[in-house]
Amino acid sequence: MKTVAVSIVTPDGPVCDSEVSMVVAKTTSGEIGVLAGHIPMVAPLAIGAVKLKQANGSTELVAVSGGFIEIRPDKISILAPSAEIAENIDVKRAKEAVKRAEGRIQNKQDDIDFKRAELSLKRALNRINVHEGNI
Ligand code: ATP
């Protein structure tokens, strides 16, 4: 099977650079699976898992907190505010973030705080799910 280059970049630097057989990502309008030779397109990403399917059949999971996917026939670039490979996720930190966010959601002061807490909760739950392979 043909492979395609993929890179995931955040403001802190590159998170991964790889050559894969398929990338599955969660766009704001649904999940897409991208193979080599895909027509060019750009789509906004939801908070979710990116699955990097390797030529040997294994899959690497990356937690991505939004951003964009840019697809070209020979290269897929993901630009995200933050992204972590499953094995680099600190689950204790994410569980603490869940507790903090849930507390803020319960004691909501205003709509902006509520929205921020909701997004923080989504990022933390996504990290936990990606780390546990529960997606
Ligand atoms: P927290 O409240 O724990 O800081 P957050 O969702 O506000 O979480 P972000 O602003 O998305 O954090 O990310 C800030 C930096 O911390 C990024 O580099 C991100 O990759 C990293 N990061 C956040 N949470 C984790 C985690 N649980 N494990 C590993 N890295 C994390």
Side-chain angles (χ1 to χ4, degrees):
M1 182 184 258
K2 271 182 87 175
T3 59
V4 57
V6 58
S7 75
I8 302 181
V9 180
T10 74
D12 296 330
V15 171
C16 87
D17 266 301
S18 179
E19 191 72 29
V20 299
S21 55
M22 177 158 73
V23 175
V24 179
K26 194 175 164 197
T27 74
T28 52
S29 41
E31 195 167 70
I32 51 167
V34 187
L35 303 170
H38 198 286
I39 54 160
M41 75 175 228
V42 173
L45 291 176
I47 294 168
V50 169
K51 297 174 207 160
L52 304 176
K53 304 213 170 188
Q54 317 287 340
N56 68 9
S58 69
T59 299
E60 183 162 49
L61 295 179
V62 184
V64 169
S65 61
F68 288 89
I69 183 168
E70 183 198 21
I71 300 166
R72 283 180 274 139
D74 59 346
K75 169 96 197 199
I76 299 168
S77 306
I78 291 175
L79 311 170
S82 66
E84 305 85 33
I85 295 173
E87 67 199 32
N88 293 340
I89 291 172
D90 178 343
V91 175
K92 185 168 170 280
R93 176 175 167 178
K95 287 186 175 165
E96 284 164 7
V98 168
K99 275 199 209 136
R100 266 197 318 276
E102 284 176 341
R104 287 197 207 115
I105 286 168
Q106 271 163 14
N107 308 315
K108 84 164 188 147
Q109 305 284 324
D110 60 45
D111 284 350
I112 294 173
D113 280 353
F114 183 77
K115 191 76 203 154
R116 284 178 59 182
E118 237 183 8
L119 289 172
S120 169
L121 181 60
K122 274 193 190 167
R123 288 195 299 274
L125 291 175
N126 181 43
R127 286 176 176 128
I128 294 167
N129 288 335
V130 164
H131 183 80
E132 291 174 353
N134 180 22
I135 48 151

